[in-house]
Amino acid sequence: MPPLTVTPNVVDASTIPPTVDGERPTLGSGTDFPPLEQTLLDLAPGARTRRETDDCEEVLFVLDGAGSLSLGDETHALEPESGAYLAPGDEYELANTGETQLTIISVRIPEPTGPEETPGEASTQTVRRLADQQSQAATTDREFRIVADPSTGLRSATHFVGYIPTAKAPEHFHTYNEVIYVLDGEGVLHAQGTDWRLGAGSCIQLPARSVHSLENTGDAWMRVVAVFRPAGSPAAAYYPDGTPAHADAPPLTT
């Protein structure tokens, strides 16, 4: 296994001060993690902000509040646990239409790769509700629901919510780079000889092939929302010796 050039890291979102635009950059260039850029967006009631994806793909996930996303001639309602996909070159507006703060997680994927169109798959879906997505099985009795992936228009990454039972997963690694936000629950990330305490608002970066274990130490399910690149299945995990940890994990090639 090649040596890591970037290490796992955990950032507490509550400690990140907002910029003048109301953004809280949590993971990315500031944590020496160029593959993915995670930022929290806070909009007060009645506030609006215009944004551009430039040459990145971008996914959004609503944590709290109600709002709207305007893209071209269409306006989409946003509610808690709805996700959105924006393509490179998109210009869009976010608005808080509710009476409380609107908080959104943005993850940008610089230098996106992948086919512009996937034959036989569904057309691009701008907004998808988590509650409408099917639950699928992952390792050690864990489950996940896909928010966006190549079948919905996101070419170079997979956006999902994971459900983690009260247990400690065996040590394993993935072949993708990943950023994670803890929605609720508490636990510990064990990675590369370090243990990080986790709670709601913990932001995790996991470079490809980082051997780790995420332990739920609470008495209820832990939920996380995550984005990884390149796109694939959240169940694609491998034990430290390279053995697939789940039936859906393809054989390790390198």
Side-chain angles (χ1 to χ4, degrees), residues 103-252:
T103 301
I104 297 174
I105 305 172
S106 160
V107 176
R108 291 197 175 202
I109 304 100
E111 301 180 4
T113 58
E116 294 188 5
E117 296 182 0
T118 304
E121 296 288 355
S123 59
T124 298
Q125 300 176 39
T126 302
V127 173
R128 282 161 56 92
R129 296 174 65 249
L130 178 65
D132 295 336
Q133 312 315 315
Q134 181 179 3
S135 178
Q136 302 178 56
T139 56
T140 58
D141 296 325
R142 302 181 178 205
E143 300 176 2
F144 65 89
R145 295 186 183 196
I146 298 295
V147 181
D149 65 5
S151 72
T152 66
L154 175 60
R155 304 200 312 262
S156 53
T158 295
H159 188 197
F160 75 99
V161 169
Y163 302 79
I164 303 167
T166 301
K168 179 181 178 181
E171 286 195 335
H172 64 281
F173 67 88
H174 308 283
T175 57
Y176 46 69
N177 293 292
E178 184 175 20
V179 292
I180 301 166
Y181 181 94
V182 178
L183 295 170
D184 39 53
E186 57 186 37
V188 180
L189 173 69
H190 310 277
Q192 308 298 127
T194 301
D195 299 331
W196 286 275
R197 299 295 305 183
L198 303 175
S202 295
C203 305
I204 306 167
Q205 68 181 32
L206 280 178
R209 295 178 179 269
S210 301
V211 175
H212 66 280
S213 171
L214 205 164
E215 179 181 5
N216 179 351
T217 59
D219 56 5
W221 286 74
M222 174 185 284
R223 295 191 311 143
V224 302
V225 59
V227 177
F228 64 81
R229 68 179 305 183
S233 170
Y238 304 87
Y239 295 123
D241 65 359
T243 303
H246 191 272
D248 288 345
L252 201 60

